[in-house]
Amino acid sequence: GEKEYDLLVVGGGSGGLACAKEAAQFGRKVAVLDYVEPSPQGTKWGLGGTCVNVGCIPKKLMHQAALLGSALKDAQHYGWNIAQPVHHTWSLMAQAVQNYVKSLNWGHRVQLQDKKVKYFNMKGSFSDPHTIRGLTKAGKETIVTAENIVIATGGRPKYPTHIAGALEYGITSDDLFWLKKSPGKTSLEYYPFILYLYEIIVYISLTEASPDVSLECAGFLTGIGLDTTVMMRSIPLRGFDQQMASLVTEYMESYGTKFLKRCFPTKVEKLESNRLQVTWKNTDLGTEETDSFDTVMWAVGRAPDTETLNLETVGVKTNSETGKIIVDASEATSVPHIYAIGDITEGRPELTPTAIAAGKLLAQRLFGQSSELMDYDNVPTTVFTPLEYGCVGLSEEMAVRCYGSDNIEVYHAYYKPLEFTVAERDATQCYMKVVCLREREQRILGLHFIGPNAGEVIQGFALGIKCGATYHQLMKTVGIHPTCAEEITKLHITKRSGLDATVTGC
């Protein structure tokens, strides 16, 4: 019979909320169902998804805290009398960040109410293609039916459960931003990295997606004064341009972050002192080593949050290897009227802005007589490491793979930001390059920039590259003086790629 809602969105993250609010603009009856399963360590949060609660927002704010620490050092060169020593108080920063995030949680609820979107704080699963069974924390059941259903549940961090003690003693990014007290010495495991932070070790697996999270966390932890080490099993920033990735990690090492390269952990044990002892293997030396930390953080990739959705019952197809939902260009799944957007979808960038744009366009196609599809090409992004790395378009490796090394021209240059001069800061890794097709117009395939405010710089150039900008047009662009972005408009050094198209990391 008649369905209760025109649209039901399962998942209250950036993409899901954008889709729901856009659909409501067309006068449709819309509902959002969202539930946060606490992390293995018991961390939970409110409406808004990964970006708002345990991703972009708290990460950027803590990155800013670290940048302010660096600015305090620079300030003395500019005549400011800063009493020494200076130190950072984690609890004050964390409370301020968490309070802001909670205000965003509330703001999202108010927006849904204003747009007359019904909000269910429940965990959902499919009963049939048009029906979702929702369960509250207390176990109360609610049945919701809808003509169209959008899955936007995103992903959650993985744990390397094959490593003894990983689940019992480790945390992930789901927990880091909500810690009340400093994590102390931390080890970050990046399956290619372990991060020791004032006694924190973070293990990050570079064999997985979103490797930038590990380096970003390691960077701001180092920046606020914590002794941080990253254990790296293979290469940094897989999927990004590897020349740029190497410069990022070189700067981080000079900045104070320690790296254990080509190492991987085998077990984590709790000592009588309550510290955590990590044992790992060094693949180059063939040795086994140990050290102890206050915190172990895992950054070994993310898994789509689909386990409780009961997708197989209604026939929604997923990739058997990744677990992500297979969708077509219109975000449609294998089942008519069931759609999926955001990080949960196969082959899409795991970025908040793409999920928001895809969600809005989907609602417009469903209810606004639009036919416009989401364009996932040339999406800009930035890694918020101590020295930021922003890019748009293809990496040099991918350009060579797609077009061949003989058809690629790379314009590049090192530069020194003006703000680094008086402060006498090292600018060895401040670098940019433009990857172009070696044809008449030299269309730009990718632009890469390492330096201060990389995100702001790349955002501006992304429009031009989206419009098919060429190297000739770039050189005719008048730069704003004196800025770092200006340096991109003055690139005149050229080199032939010479990269092997089989290089890893693409």
Side-chain angles (χ1 to χ4, degrees):
E2 187 176 342
K3 306 302 183 295
E4 187 177 0
Y5 293 94
D6 297 307
L7 178 69
L8 171 63
V9 177
V10 183
S14 301
L17 291 175
C19 185
K21 289 185 285 187
E22 187 71 13
Q25 298 282 77
F26 294 101
R28 300 298 180 138
K29 193 174 182 183
V30 183
V32 170
L33 190 146
D34 183 68
Y35 183 85
V36 178
E37 189 71 46
S39 74
Q41 301 303 326
T43 306
K44 55 186 177 181
W45 51 87
L47 185 64
T50 297
C51 172
V52 166
N53 294 282
V54 289
C56 316
I57 300 302
K59 172 192 69 180
K60 180 69 181 293
L61 291 173
M62 291 189 179
H63 170 63
Q64 175 65 14
L67 293 181
L68 289 172
S70 297
L72 287 175
K73 298 176 184 177
D74 291 351
Q76 298 173 79
H77 295 274
Y78 284 91
W80 289 97
N81 185 12
I82 307 292
Q84 298 294 327
V86 296
H87 67 276
H88 180 268
T89 303
W90 175 279
S91 59
L92 290 177
M93 174 192 70
Q95 188 64 60
V97 170
Q98 290 160 16
N99 286 344
Y100 178 66
V101 168
K102 289 175 182 177
S103 75
L104 295 179
N105 298 150
W106 177 251
H108 282 305
R109 297 191 67 164
V110 170
Q111 288 173 23
L112 291 181
Q113 187 175 24
D114 289 345
K115 296 182 183 299
K116 296 180 172 56
V117 175
K118 177 67 175 177
Y119 168 55
F120 295 98
N121 183 205
M122 299 178 183
K123 183 187 297 185
S125 61
F126 280 95
S127 296
D128 65 50
H130 285 283
T131 306
I132 294 289
R133 174 178 176 262
L135 280 179
T136 66
K137 181 180 178 182
K140 181 181 178 181
E141 179 181 283
T142 298
I143 301 299
V144 185
T145 60
E147 287 289 347
N148 300 280
I149 297 176
V150 175
I151 306 170
T153 50
R156 297 292 293 269
K158 294 180 182 178
Y159 271 83
T161 52
H162 62 285
I163 299 174
L167 187 62
E168 295 88 338
Y169 306 123
I171 66 170
T172 67
S173 55
D174 274 1
D175 307 295
L176 179 64
F177 301 113
W178 290 92
L179 294 178
K180 302 297 184 186
K181 298 179 180 178
S182 173
K185 182 179 181 182
T186 307
S187 167
L188 261 170
E189 238 285 308
Y190 182 30
Y191 236 85
F193 297 124
I194 275 188
L195 204 74
Y196 303 95
L197 175 84
Y198 197 62
E199 309 288 299
I200 261 192
I201 183 170
V202 182
Y203 179 64
I204 301 142
S205 174
L206 289 178
T207 61
E208 305 290 350
S210 303
D212 49 310
V213 172
S214 63
L215 297 189
E216 290 173 330
C217 290
F220 75 67
L221 291 171
T222 301
I224 62 176
L226 300 180
D227 180 9
T228 307
T229 302
V230 174
M231 181 179 292
M232 184 165 62
R233 188 173 192 169
S234 56
I235 61 173
L237 296 178
R238 183 179 298 278
F240 289 87
D241 187 288
Q242 283 302 290
Q243 181 188 10
M244 310 304 284
S246 295
L247 290 170
V248 167
T249 54
E250 285 173 17
Y251 183 86
M252 288 184 66
E253 287 185 281
S254 67
Y255 184 71
T257 303
K258 302 169 187 173
F259 284 85
L260 295 174
K261 299 177 181 179
R262 295 186 60 78
C263 297
F264 63 92
T266 55
K267 63 181 176 180
V268 181
E269 301 168 286
K270 194 166 190 176
L271 304 176
E272 290 184 3
S273 62
N274 283 327
R275 289 170 63 81
L276 302 175
Q277 179 172 282
V278 178
T279 303
W280 68 88
K281 288 185 179 179
N282 185 312
T283 57
D284 281 339
L285 301 177
T287 57
E288 184 174 87
E289 302 170 37
T290 63
D291 200 352
S292 61
F293 307 90
D294 291 325
T295 306
V296 174
M297 176 178 158
W298 306 103
V300 296
R302 298 177 68 83
D305 194 5
T306 61
E307 188 175 347
T308 62
L309 289 176
N310 207 19
L311 296 179
E312 63 282 355
T313 297
V314 293
V316 173
K317 293 182 179 178
T318 61
N319 182 312
S320 59
E321 293 184 3
T322 64
K324 292 192 173 186
I325 297 173
I326 298 171
V327 294
D328 63 15
S330 65
E331 324 301 345
T333 70
S334 53
V335 179
H337 70 263
I338 297 180
Y339 303 85
I341 57 173
D343 295 2
I344 202 172
T345 53
E346 182 64 33
R348 305 297 197 227
E350 296 185 2
L351 297 170
T352 294
T354 55
I356 292 173
K360 288 182 177 180
L361 289 172
L362 173 57
Q364 290 165 12
R365 290 194 302 273
L366 288 174
F367 307 116
Q369 298 181 334
S370 171
S371 60
E372 184 180 357
L373 299 175
M374 177 63 190
D375 182 358
Y376 290 97
D377 289 334
N378 291 321
V379 174
T381 190
T382 292
V383 182
F384 291 101
T385 39
L387 194 60
E388 297 174 6
Y389 165 35
C391 60
V392 58
L394 300 182
S395 65
E396 188 172 350
E397 292 89 348
M398 187 57 75
V400 169
R401 177 177 294 178
C402 294
Y403 297 97
S405 59
D406 290 341
N407 297 315
I408 299 299
E409 194 78 27
V410 178
Y411 297 88
H412 69 123
Y414 288 92
Y415 71 100
K416 187 161 190 173
L418 182 63
E419 51 266 46
F420 280 26
T421 55
V422 172
E424 300 177 352
R425 289 178 61 179
D426 182 19
T428 305
Q429 288 81 30
C430 291
Y431 179 76
M432 63 188 75
K433 70 176 176 182
V434 179
V435 182
C436 304
L437 269 179
R438 184 181 287 174
E439 56 181 18
R440 293 190 308 276
E441 294 182 340
Q442 292 195 304
R443 179 166 61 89
I444 298 173
L445 300 175
L447 189 153
H448 303 262
F449 176 91
I450 292 179
N453 305 303
E456 312 297 342
V457 171
I458 288 297
Q459 182 67 81
F461 285 100
L463 172 61
I465 293 175
K466 193 75 174 176
C467 294
T470 65
Y471 174 71
H472 178 66
Q473 291 170 329
L474 182 64
M475 291 303 98
K476 290 179 66 177
T477 301
V478 177
I480 299 173
H481 186 72
T483 64
C484 295
E486 174 194 22
E487 301 299 324
I488 295 177
T489 68
K490 299 191 297 184
L491 284 174
H492 61 278
I493 305 172
T494 180
K495 71 180 179 70
R496 188 170 180 177
S497 170
L499 280 175
D500 185 338
T502 62
V503 68
T504 60
C506 297

